[in-house]
Amino acid sequence: MKARNSMSVDEQYQIHLQQLKHKEPGFVETIYALGNGHLGVRASNPLQGNSPAYPGSPGLFINGFYDLTPITYGEAYFGYARNNQTICELPDPRYLIFSVDGVRSDETPYQIEMIDKTWDMASGLLLETFHVTTPTAKEFTLTLESFASQAERHLYVIRYDIRTLNFSGSVTVIKQHAYVNQQIARDNTDMRRAQRGNTLLQTYLPAAAPTMRISTQKSQLSLLMTMQYLGSDPRVQLNAHADVPNYEIQLQLTPERSAQFSFGYSLGEIHNQLSFEVNQARYIEKSLARLAGESFSSLFAASAARTRQFWQDSDVIIEGDPILQKGIRFNLYHLYQAAGRDHSTDIPAKGLTGAGYEGHYFWDTEMYMLPFFIYTQPQIAKALLGYRYATLAEAGQRAREMAIKSGVLFPWRTINGEEASAYFPAGTAQIHINADIAYATDQYIRATADTDFLVSAGFELILETARFWLAYGNYADHGPQAGHFVINRVTGPDEYTALIDNNYYTNRMAQHNLRLAVKYAAELKQLAPDKLAELAVTDAELAAFKKAAANMYLPYDARHQIKLQDDNALNRPRFDLKNEPATNFPLLLHYHPLVLYRYQVNKQADTLMSDFLFPLDQDEAQLRRDYDYYEGITTHDSSLSRAIFSILANRIHDPDKAQAYFLDTALTDLTDLQGNSEDGIHAANMGGSWLSLIYGFAGMHYGTDGLTFAPQLPAGWFRLSFKIKYRGRQIDIDINQKTATFNLLSGAPLTLYCGPEACDLSQKMPVTVDIKHA
């Protein structure tokens, strides 16, 4: 394995076209999509992207830039979500027009063949080569180099190289903003895909470079898109055609002489339209200034430096399986590309690589992706939690709509903070998202010791979600639940089991949420007592939290000795998964929800998700019983499922299952395991692959004494190495089949644990511990 500082030439950081499972345009566009948390660009065909015959889905996405479409119900009840929110598909910045022998490529299609794509994730640079044939049989190669800047999140930069193959002569290149109203591919049979194609408004503004204002009609948002030539070649002329500003380049080429030119795109902040009207001149000036005096090389150097720092902090080394090594790096870099960093945006379920799930944010962020950022890029984790804090008012309004008089209810799927799920049994009913956000907030505070965030935002998130549980749940009077605090008519993580009573996962998470509120209120009495007064926290309220948590009903079946998914889980027959045709998966595309709700069949880990999050709740024997039972009824139709099964397989010392589930998790998108990667990456699954490695094979968890590791590597692996940031420190963990070595790279001394053995770390020397195998 090459040293970490030699990554730029390491093939294990590169994704080559020839190594992909297939080469369909939509799939390839997703795999090679570039992003930086603010913008994302699919790797489309640069000539044919606007052709109706092109089977891909080219476009640019801006995190949080969405439009609204009213939801039409046959029977609309009070409190139903009112509007769809759909991320907008913006002009493709890769698009180029050629004119050879008087024939324009946007009027008469040229034949273009994809020859090669190589994505160097060590630097963030995408290199592509296409073979182009004109209608008059002229041939040339078109090479693209592009990156989404990690140093300046508003910038996307691309360089073109043209070399003729069988002719010498004149070639005209036209670079302009592509059509703004490209339609998102629609498929009414798959609810996971975007179904809307909102019309956007475009206005070209007077400026020193082509500058377009793009506006939505319903959400009343605007942003600037500026395209600027990077260089001083006199052949590049700024013109206008049909009132569309463009750059036109007249070239005289020979096979021995290529032409190269670069463009930068500046994508501004999202503003409401009134703000835009008032500040338009200032926004234009700022947009142009981002590229002033810059070149492709200077911009790339700054971006690559930031990317190298990302790998220094976040890389995971797996020795013994080069395919997995590449897969995990692919996942981690896509996570980095997807995460909002401005406290106003989150991580869309498909990242910024496509319009799948309409660009919505789910619980995926807090439970699957945030841990990676907490322990490697804590500032990004803080920004993501900041988004939830910024939408507290909307969550409070949603609680009021649901007749909850105190606390907040965060939306199941959203962009702007309002609920956008039209199907409430698998949407609003998943109220566990409140506790998920509280759990993630606690994880961030525990790992970072960021008391400033606790006071300014974290405690309020935990408090307001805790208040919701007291208002939503109640104390039961009858049956085995009598005297217990119960939470009825909810849906847990498993969307094949809806509107049930006492979902184990929901109740356990709510219990944790309530206890967190009590815990942190005690801390704030010392840190910031004024904050408790500001939020009207009383001793009586804290006592009520404590009582509800102590009396929370957690269903358990004494005969089978398993945790029950809900009160009536065992009264439903099992779905016959063994005899179900493979073509019928995922089941949600082949059965009405009411069919699935009648059976014991799980889309994903549900009760087992609780076992994962609370490892001290059960001994290994209990965990094995839970695991064996729920594995038998789980389809893994959700990409979120296998990571949890892999982690728990490690905890019950079943290495074969742990590795098998992890293989599917790590390679989900590169192998198109779910069959829908063309709609965008599976971002939560990518976070799950990191969880599988760090919480599974490395065995990281909070033990009774503190941060603890219980490593166990698969038989074919020689080494697992990674870094974490923890309470102002950075720690390097290096695991092989026999030992685990912990090296404190920065920060004050601390004690952590490898199994039962204490490791007292200082910067003086690493600590190596023998691994005790079960």
Side-chain angles (χ1 to χ4, degrees):
M1 175 62 61
K2 294 178 174 62
R4 294 189 187 195
N5 60 4
S6 302
M7 292 184 294
S8 60
V9 294
D10 192 337
E11 199 274 341
Q12 286 301 318
Y13 290 85
Q14 296 181 347
I15 304 296
H16 298 284
L17 181 67
Q18 291 79 5
Q19 297 169 345
L20 297 184
K21 176 183 177 182
H22 54 74
K23 312 295 189 298
E24 282 78 4
F27 172 74
V28 170
E29 287 178 3
T30 293
I31 297 301
Y32 290 102
L34 301 176
N36 60 15
H38 178 61
L39 61 90
V41 179
R42 286 172 64 83
S44 61
N45 180 320
L47 266 67
Q48 296 178 345
N50 286 297
S51 168
Y54 175 60
S57 184
L60 160 72
F61 300 96
I62 301 297
N63 198 356
F65 191 69
Y66 69 96
D67 205 1
L68 301 171
T69 307
I71 301 174
T72 301
Y73 298 96
E75 299 177 12
Y77 289 92
F78 179 83
Y80 275 26
R82 294 179 291 274
N83 293 296
N84 295 304
Q85 303 162 29
T86 305
I87 195 168
C88 297
E89 190 175 23
L90 303 182
D92 182 6
R94 298 161 52 85
Y95 186 61
L96 206 60
I97 299 170
F98 284 96
S99 179
V100 180
D101 297 331
V103 181
R104 286 172 56 116
S105 58
D106 61 334
E107 296 173 350
T108 304
Y110 286 23
Q111 180 182 336
I112 181 166
E113 179 185 0
M114 184 169 53
I115 303 299
D116 190 27
K117 289 179 186 277
T118 298
W119 187 23
D120 179 29
M121 297 179 294
S123 65
L125 184 69
L126 175 59
L127 174 65
E128 306 164 88
T129 302
F130 298 86
H131 182 276
V132 182
T133 305
T134 74
T136 55
K138 302 290 178 64
E139 298 178 30
F140 58 91
T141 59
L142 175 63
T143 301
L144 279 64
E145 294 175 283
S146 58
F147 62 94
S149 176
Q150 304 303 331
E152 167 48 270
R153 66 189 185 91
H154 299 92
L155 299 183
Y156 171 82
V157 186
I158 188 164
R159 179 160 64 192
Y160 302 94
D161 185 278
I162 304 166
R163 184 180 297 273
T164 63
L165 297 175
N166 67 348
F167 74 101
S168 298
S170 174
V171 175
T172 300
V173 180
I174 300 169
K175 182 69 176 167
Q176 66 185 43
H177 291 306
Y179 304 106
V180 72
N181 282 311
Q182 301 171 96
Q183 296 297 302
I184 293 171
R186 280 169 281 181
D187 180 351
N188 293 325
T189 67
D190 189 340
M191 70 289 296
R192 299 168 297 180
R193 304 189 71 181
Q195 305 296 327
R196 261 74 55 189
N198 294 39
T199 300
L200 300 172
L201 305 175
Q202 63 192 64
T203 306
Y204 294 99
L205 303 176
T211 299
M212 178 194 292
R213 173 184 175 180
I214 303 172
S215 302
T216 61
Q217 295 197 63
K218 301 294 185 181
S219 61
Q220 294 289 291
L221 301 176
S222 289
L223 61 78
L224 274 185
M225 180 176 186
T226 298
M227 174 180 63
Q228 201 160 333
Y229 170 66
L230 302 177
S232 56
D233 192 328
R235 295 176 298 178
V236 182
Q237 298 294 317
L238 181 58
N239 298 318
H241 176 72
D243 296 324
V244 178
N246 61 58
Y247 288 102
E248 188 170 308
I249 311 169
Q250 300 289 342
L251 303 173
Q252 293 295 322
L253 299 179
T254 68
E256 295 79 25
R257 182 183 178 187
S258 66
Q260 188 177 87
F261 41 90
S262 306
F263 294 91
Y265 281 81
S266 178
L267 286 305
E269 299 288 355
I270 301 168
H271 301 282
N272 65 64
Q273 292 189 18
L274 177 60
S275 173
F276 202 99
E277 295 291 349
V278 173
N279 299 289
Q280 177 173 294
R282 182 161 59 87
Y283 295 156
I284 293 173
E285 180 182 0
K286 196 170 184 178
S287 185
L288 293 171
R290 294 188 185 106
L291 293 164
E294 298 285 2
S295 66
F296 183 96
S297 297
S298 67
L299 293 169
F300 176 64
S303 178
R306 189 67 62 88
T307 301
R308 285 193 294 272
Q309 186 59 55
F310 164 78
W311 289 117
Q312 287 294 323
D313 292 334
S314 307
D315 199 9
V316 174
I317 294 174
I318 302 172
E319 288 189 5
D321 194 323
I323 294 176
L324 273 179
Q325 175 67 88
K326 186 173 293 190
I328 192 66
R329 285 179 174 146
F330 173 81
N331 291 349
L332 298 186
Y333 198 59
H334 261 298
L335 279 177
Y336 182 55
Q337 291 194 135
R341 301 166 201 183
D342 57 4
H343 297 258
S344 300
T345 53
D346 203 308
I347 306 178
K350 291 288 189 177
L352 295 169
T353 67
Y357 289 113
E358 303 192 70
H360 290 170
Y361 314 137
F362 293 76
W363 76 311
D364 303 19
T365 297
E366 284 76 22
M367 304 315 293
Y368 284 85
M369 295 180 274
L370 202 71
F372 166 68
F373 292 106
I374 287 173
Y375 288 103
T376 66
Q377 307 283 327
Q379 286 303 113
I380 293 180
K382 185 175 184 177
L384 293 168
L385 288 170
Y387 162 77
R388 292 297 190 184
Y389 183 72
T391 58
L392 263 175
E394 289 81 1
Q397 178 60 34
R398 184 58 175 164
R400 305 296 93 76
E401 290 175 349
M402 301 304 292
I404 303 300
K405 296 181 180 179
S406 63
V408 300
L409 176 57
F410 281 97
W412 180 242
R413 54 189 298 175
T414 188
I415 296 175
N416 67 2
E418 299 175 356
E419 180 64 80
S421 176
Y423 185 65
F424 75 88
T428 297
Q430 295 203 55
I431 59 174
H432 63 80
I433 191 170
N434 264 17
D436 301 333
I437 292 168
Y439 186 98
T441 302
D442 172 57
Q443 291 294 295
Y444 171 79
I445 295 167
R446 290 176 71 179
T448 64
D450 186 349
T451 54
D452 288 342
F453 179 78
L454 170 63
V455 174
S456 65
F459 178 69
E460 191 170 355
L461 284 169
I462 291 169
L463 173 69
E464 294 297 344
T465 48
R467 285 171 166 166
F468 169 85
W469 298 114
L470 279 190
Y472 191 92
N474 63 276
Y475 287 92
D477 294 328
H478 303 286
Q481 299 88 357
H484 289 282
F485 192 83
V486 296
I487 304 175
N488 296 324
R489 291 299 177 262
V490 302
T491 300
D494 167 37
E495 294 175 358
Y496 289 174
T497 311
L499 297 179
I500 52 178
D501 294 341
N502 295 309
N503 170 248
Y504 191 99
Y505 174 84
T506 302
N507 286 23
R508 181 62 181 92
M509 290 291 284
Q511 181 186 57
H512 181 64
N513 193 167
L514 292 163
R515 287 173 173 166
L516 288 177
V518 175
K519 168 191 169 184
Y520 284 115
E523 290 190 21
L524 259 63
K525 282 184 180 179
Q526 305 300 319
L527 281 173
D530 291 347
K531 190 69 177 181
L532 297 178
E534 175 190 330
L535 297 173
V537 178
T538 65
D539 289 341
E541 181 178 46
L542 295 175
F545 289 166
K546 198 170 183 179
K547 179 183 176 182
N551 291 282
M552 185 68 67
Y553 183 70
L554 299 172
Y556 185 84
D557 182 73
R559 183 163 66 93
H560 293 86
Q561 293 186 293
I562 60 169
K563 298 170 184 171
L564 286 180
Q565 186 167 337
D566 61 86
D567 283 350
N568 292 299
L570 297 184
N571 290 327
R572 297 186 289 272
R574 284 196 177 209
F575 196 97
D576 187 6
L577 293 176
K578 291 183 179 179
N579 293 314
E580 188 70 16
T583 54
N584 277 4
F585 294 90
L587 297 180
L588 77 164
L589 300 184
H590 299 275
Y591 290 96
H592 189 281
L594 282 177
V595 175
L596 299 176
Y597 295 168
R598 299 201 316 265
Y599 290 91
Q600 289 185 61
V601 58
N602 284 8
K603 181 182 179 185
Q604 65 199 76
D606 189 296
T607 304
L608 290 182
M609 188 73 182
S610 170
D611 288 353
F612 157 58
L613 294 174
F614 302 102
L616 301 184
D617 274 12
Q618 58 278 315
D619 58 20
E620 187 177 325
Q622 179 65 59
L623 178 57
R624 182 175 288 277
R625 291 193 297 272
D626 291 344
Y627 189 95
D628 290 344
Y629 186 84
Y630 286 105
E631 185 182 35
I633 63 172
T634 302
T635 65
H636 307 293
D637 283 349
S638 168
S639 66
L640 280 62
S641 188
R642 292 179 176 86
I644 306 307
F645 277 81
S646 175
I647 294 166
L648 296 180
N650 268 309
R651 292 184 186 171
I652 60 174
H653 305 290
D654 190 332
D656 292 339
K657 284 185 178 178
Q659 189 168 19
Y661 280 122
F662 175 67
L663 278 170
D664 285 344
T665 300
L667 302 175
T668 289
D669 281 306
L670 285 175
T671 61
D672 200 14
L673 180 69
Q674 299 291 118
N676 64 342
S677 290
E678 64 178 344
D679 299 327
I681 57 158
H682 296 78
N685 172 79
M686 290 174 163
S689 67
W690 187 88
L691 296 178
S692 297
L693 287 167
I694 310 308
Y695 288 79
F697 297 113
M700 188 176 83
H701 64 283
Y702 284 103
T704 53
D705 297 315
L707 193 62
T708 303
F709 294 84
Q712 47 187 328
L713 298 190
W717 294 12
F718 307 127
R719 178 183 175 219
L720 172 63
S721 179
F722 58 95
K723 296 175 184 174
I724 62 168
K725 292 182 177 179
Y726 181 70
R727 293 182 168 259
R729 305 163 176 91
Q730 188 171 46
I731 308 165
D732 185 271
I733 297 101
D734 204 303
I735 301 166
N736 59 40
Q737 290 290 344
K738 295 182 178 180
T739 64
T741 299
F742 302 89
N743 188 8
L744 182 62
L745 302 178
S746 63
L750 83 159
T751 300
L752 51 76
Y753 296 83
C754 188
E757 188 167 343
C759 300
D760 297 320
L761 300 186
S762 70
Q763 294 185 47
K764 294 180 180 179
M765 64 177 59
V767 175
T768 298
V769 181
D770 291 334
I771 295 174
K772 296 176 175 61
H773 295 282

